[in-house]
Structures are given as C-alpha cells and as structure tokens.
Amino acid sequence: MEKQTTATVDVTKIMEEIRAEIQEKDYHSEMLSFADVPLESDFETAAERFDTDLLHRSVQYMNANHTVQLERPLSGNPIRMLWNRLVRRIVRFYVAPYVEQQNELNAAATQAQTQIERYIQESRMHSTKAFLERIEVLELQQKNAKLMMQQQQAQIAALQEKLSSKEGQS
C-alpha cells in the first residue's frame, strides 16, 4: 500500500517567501548568529529541559490510543442510524484503506516512541551504574588516603617525640 508522489520544488518561490518573512520580522544582516535572533518565549521554555514523566505519559497514551476505529457505535434515532449504516457501507471501500494506513503509521510511531523511552531509561540506568561504580572507587581512594594520612601523622608524631627526646638529652 505504498504510494509514491512526485512534487516539484520552486526554489525561487521559497526564497521569496523566506525573504518576505525576514523583512516582516525585521531581522537585520547584523544578526550574524542564531543566538542574536529573538526566539518566541514558548519555544525557549519548552526546550529548556527534558521531562521524563511527560514522555512516559505520552508513550502510555500512544500505546492505549494508536488504533483508529473505522466506525464509531451508532445510537439515537433509528431512521438516522439506518441512514448512517447505509452511508458507511457506501464509503467504507474508500475510507478503510486510509484508516488501515493511519493505523500502521500510528503503530510504527508508537513503537518508535516506546523504543526511544526504553533507550533513555537504559542509558540512565547505565549512567547511574557507572556513577555508582565511580563513587565506590573514589570512596575507596578517600578511605586509603585517610589511612595513609593517619599513618603519616603517627610517623610525624613519633619523629617529633624522638626529636624532642634528643633535644632534651643534649
């Protein structure tokens, strides 16, 4: 059920539209970087941080609702229900392939989004595991450094004692 479409691209028209938008938004050639171009506030706040909970809720919603039903249940006036059934039978051959195609697309998008969520979770677990291992190593190094420091302090104290006893003998 794959359809190929060919479309011609009018680059001149696209460039004219871009130039018109630049002029409309009053951008200047002095604005050399994207950082200089003012952004809309909604974009800035949405892009500031990743929300794991929002991703999880979105994936759950997609998993629960990715299938589009060809027909909704009918209720109400019997004559109107009969009319709706007749219309459905007439247009089903036309609508059904699109519903099927949409369901396939929704299923693929849902599966991809689920895989992205799993990848993020696994990456975080691996990162957390690596951090915990690194913390363990650093804590061990700290413990060893403290022991060495205590040993050196004991040696210093012993040397100071010997020095003071030699000074007392002289």
Side-chain angles (χ1 to χ4, degrees):
M1 208 177 267
E2 214 173 288
K3 294 181 183 177
Q4 292 184 349
T5 57
T6 57
T8 58
V9 177
D10 187 358
V11 177
T12 309
K13 182 180 176 187
I14 293 171
M15 289 305 296
E16 287 173 4
E17 290 172 1
I18 291 172
R19 287 186 185 101
E21 185 177 344
I22 289 171
Q23 202 170 31
E24 178 183 304
K25 292 187 177 181
D26 198 33
Y27 294 152
H28 303 286
S29 60
E30 295 84 33
M31 296 178 170
L32 298 176
S33 71
F34 286 109
D36 296 334
V37 178
L39 294 176
E40 297 174 14
S41 62
D42 290 348
F43 174 78
E44 200 170 78
T45 56
E48 281 182 10
R49 73 175 198 60
F50 170 72
D51 188 348
T52 308
D53 295 330
L54 178 61
L55 174 65
H56 183 69
R57 286 191 308 270
S58 297
V59 168
Q60 282 181 326
Y61 178 82
M62 288 174 71
N63 280 320
N65 300 299
H66 72 275
T67 303
V68 177
Q69 298 299 319
L70 179 60
E71 297 175 350
R72 292 183 292 176
L74 296 175
S75 62
N77 185 341
I79 295 173
R80 185 173 177 130
M81 287 174 49
L82 182 63
W83 173 254
N84 284 339
R85 278 192 214 133
L86 178 64
V87 170
R88 282 181 179 181
R89 284 187 184 152
I90 292 171
V91 298
R92 181 176 291 146
F93 78 95
Y94 184 75
V95 174
Y98 291 109
V99 170
E100 182 181 332
Q101 189 176 17
Q102 185 65 51
N103 284 335
E104 290 171 2
L105 175 69
N106 291 352
T110 300
Q111 184 179 17
Q113 196 69 21
T114 302
Q115 290 300 313
I116 290 169
E117 181 186 31
R118 287 181 184 154
Y119 175 78
I120 291 169
Q121 289 172 346
E122 287 177 11
S123 295
R124 285 186 169 185
M125 285 185 348
H126 290 300
S127 296
T128 302
K129 184 179 178 185
F131 284 137
L132 290 174
E133 289 172 355
R134 180 68 179 144
I135 288 170
E136 236 179 88
V137 167
L138 290 173
E139 285 176 342
L140 183 61
Q141 288 176 348
Q142 182 184 24
K143 184 178 179 182
N144 289 338
K146 282 182 180 179
L147 286 173
M148 286 179 57
M149 190 172 71
Q150 288 173 350
Q151 289 173 349
Q152 289 174 348
Q153 286 174 342
Q155 287 177 349
I156 290 171
L159 289 173
Q160 284 177 342
E161 190 176 308
K162 282 183 183 179
L163 182 62
S164 61
S165 66
K166 283 190 179 185
E167 284 178 358
Q169 289 176 353
S170 353

